[in-house]
Amino acid sequence: MFARFYSFLRVTGACSLSLPLVSTVSSAELPVVPGKSGFVCSGKPFVSPFGDSPISSAATDPEAAKTGYDAFLERLNAQVKANVYDFCPAMTIVYNSLGDELAFDSWMERAAKEGNPAAIQFVYNRKVRFLTPKTAMGAEAKECFAQMKKAAEAGYDPAVISLYLFMSQGIGTSADAEAAGKFIFSACKSGSFTPRHRWLLASGRLNSFEDRNLPEVRSEVERGNDMVMYELSRRATKAEDQLAWLRAAAEKGNAQALYELSIIFSTTNPEAGYKLLQEAVKLHNPHALFALGQLFVASPEQLSDSAKKLNIQQDIPNGLRLIKIASMTLEERACFWLGRAYFNGEFTLPKDPARAFQHFRNGMILESISSAAAAGYMMARGIGCEKDTHQGIALLVEAAARNYAHALVLLAKLQCEGVGGIKRSALEASFKLQEAAALGDKESFLYLAVLYALGGPELQRDSTRAEHYLNLAKQDLGAAEAQRRYDAMIASGTWEPTP
């Protein structure tokens, strides 16, 4: 159900890994700057006058923060002038002005109505993700096509790529691969790396690592096209070739290459990996923002052995800031992480099911299976949103069919409760939990322990099995953590999974 018509398209600016998020702004405009112990917020940390709870709808109106909106629009105009896809500075202005990572829609919508090409590209890429094959030629799809064409005609390369994909796949217009190919070829005349990279892909000239020897590909490499270099790293079949092309792309300023190099070096050379991560953050790579934010919010015992060598000081406010801005720039893992954090009330965030659902929903729009399953569970039970049992269960079933183990855990809970006409059976639930455990879900053994300790419909209490599963849970979650959670659930007389 959540696999929208658009699921197989990687539109520039949604969750594409092929378009580098390279900014031309000065360091003074960056949302974070290097500090003595990692990264710290530039200037004074923002303190929201509304607290951590959802702010009023009036406060999200651009007129309620006109100075902030003017700065936001100025930043978008600079983004268009530089012809880059980098919403991080603009989203930072929204966050600083309103203190709410979910409040960017109204400002983006207004900027799009005012004709800003970057805002148009952002808004209509987001809208198109709600389309299905049945609505791909409907009025809304045609509006998406018309608006994207307007942004592309303004010369904004990310919109050019989006329009090419619309034409290729028949979104708001009849699918015409030949016309789309001619369009993207004509866009190459601008000399910009972005359409030239896409044309190589569209024309079949960059399908394998061997294509690096083609004259057109060699020409782009010689011109310094970092996107082509990064693409070759993805096509490489040998580790040494992948590393060489990632380094070449990183040297040309490809933020995604820097981020991936930071992952590669994170265990073998943590200091080098951390420096690469910092460089990717300075270039506003959303994956790097999220990764650095995670490092900051983690307690010392949660860090890996390699991360502990960096002596990073826990800094939850700055970590949350980075993660929230990453979610605003459409980093799907950040959306899921924030959804869970708000659901449980963790990392100083309030327990807020409604905000949790909004983050899961944003992640679902980005085709995150984990977010779709979480949103489905909340919909099925009416937690933080309007109850829609049929749609919620459908989302969970599809996520489980895609081998997302935690979806089985959530379905097991619905089975225990008999939600939506599902047969109420603790025994059937135990089978789902066992399957989830076999697929690697680390919490499944804990829930199995509670299930056998409490018993339920068609399932007799069995203290021996409960102890067996608790011991397995301790191996996955740690003895103290597993015991604490087990005791709490036994005391409450039920178990409640985190979506």
Side-chain angles (χ1 to χ4, degrees), residues 381-447:
R381 300 193 66 189
I383 302 173
C385 62
E386 184 177 348
K387 190 172 184 178
D388 188 340
T389 304
H390 178 78
Q391 176 74 3
I393 292 175
L395 287 167
L396 283 169
V397 169
E398 183 166 347
R402 296 193 182 196
N403 294 321
Y404 178 55
H406 197 65
L408 291 166
V409 174
L410 302 176
L411 283 169
K413 179 59 178 178
L414 299 185
Q415 185 103 54
C416 280
E417 304 291 334
V419 173
I422 298 176
K423 177 185 176 183
R424 189 165 181 258
S425 172
L427 178 62
E428 293 293 333
S430 72
F431 295 153
K432 287 184 173 61
L433 288 173
Q434 289 170 23
E435 186 179 351
L439 289 172
D441 186 90
K442 292 186 177 182
E443 296 182 328
S444 298
F445 287 132
L446 179 63
Y447 300 136

Side-chain angles (χ1 to χ4, degrees), residues 48-60 97-101 103 355:
S48 170
F50 306 100
D52 286 321
S53 59
I55 59 181
S56 68
S57 58
T60 64
S97 300
L98 303 176
D100 185 350
E101 75 278 5
R355 290 181 74 81

Side-chain angles (χ1 to χ4, degrees), residues 7 18 27 44 68 94 178 181 184-185 188 207 211 218-219 280 283 301 351 353 357-358 392 394 462 479 482 487:
S7 62
S18 59
S27 60
K44 296 181 179 178
V94 177
E178 184 178 351
I184 198 65
F185 180 74
C188 292
N207 287 338
D211 289 340
R218 286 204 312 269
S219 175
L283 292 177
E301 60 270 17
K351 191 169 186 177
F357 177 77
Q358 286 300 315
D462 189 329
D487 291 341

Side-chain angles (χ1 to χ4, degrees), residues 117 145-157 159-160 163 183:
F145 180 84
Q147 291 295 328
M148 199 64 73
K149 184 179 180 182
K150 183 191 301 184
E153 289 175 345
Y156 187 53
D157 282 343
V160 169
L163 187 64
F183 168 73

